[in-house]
Amino acid sequence: MAIQTAQVSIENIDDAKGLDSVMTALKNITGVTAIDLDAASSIATVRYDDTDTSIHALTAAISMVDYVTQPYPIDAPQNPRYHD
């Protein structure tokens, strides 16, 4: 078991129903252990067990509720918040 942390950009989320849909989609993924959704910056920080799921499963789940995603492992240089 290896716990990973990824940040997922969620664009065009602008209402409580959208936030609930994204949170439900992520919570329903086996292996997701924690979610912190920052609606102001449209970023979800997700902790997950990489033996049970992957970044691809996270983005697929969010895409199913009609939001555009861009996944970045939290420590990846491509992550726009890498230096935060």
Side-chain angles (χ1 to χ4, degrees), residues 68-84:
V68 177
T69 62
Q70 182 63 46
Y72 299 106
I74 200 159
D75 58 352
Q78 300 91 333
N79 186 337
R81 306 183 96 199
Y82 176 68
H83 298 290
D84 288 353

Side-chain angles (χ1 to χ4, degrees), residues 9 12 47:
S9 173
N12 303 322
R47 291 181 45 87

Side-chain angles (χ1 to χ4, degrees), residues 12-24 37 39 65 67:
N12 303 322
I13 187 169
D14 57 3
D15 59 13
K17 183 179 176 185
L19 288 172
D20 289 342
S21 295
V22 169
M23 292 298 285
T24 299
L37 183 61
V65 291
Y67 291 97

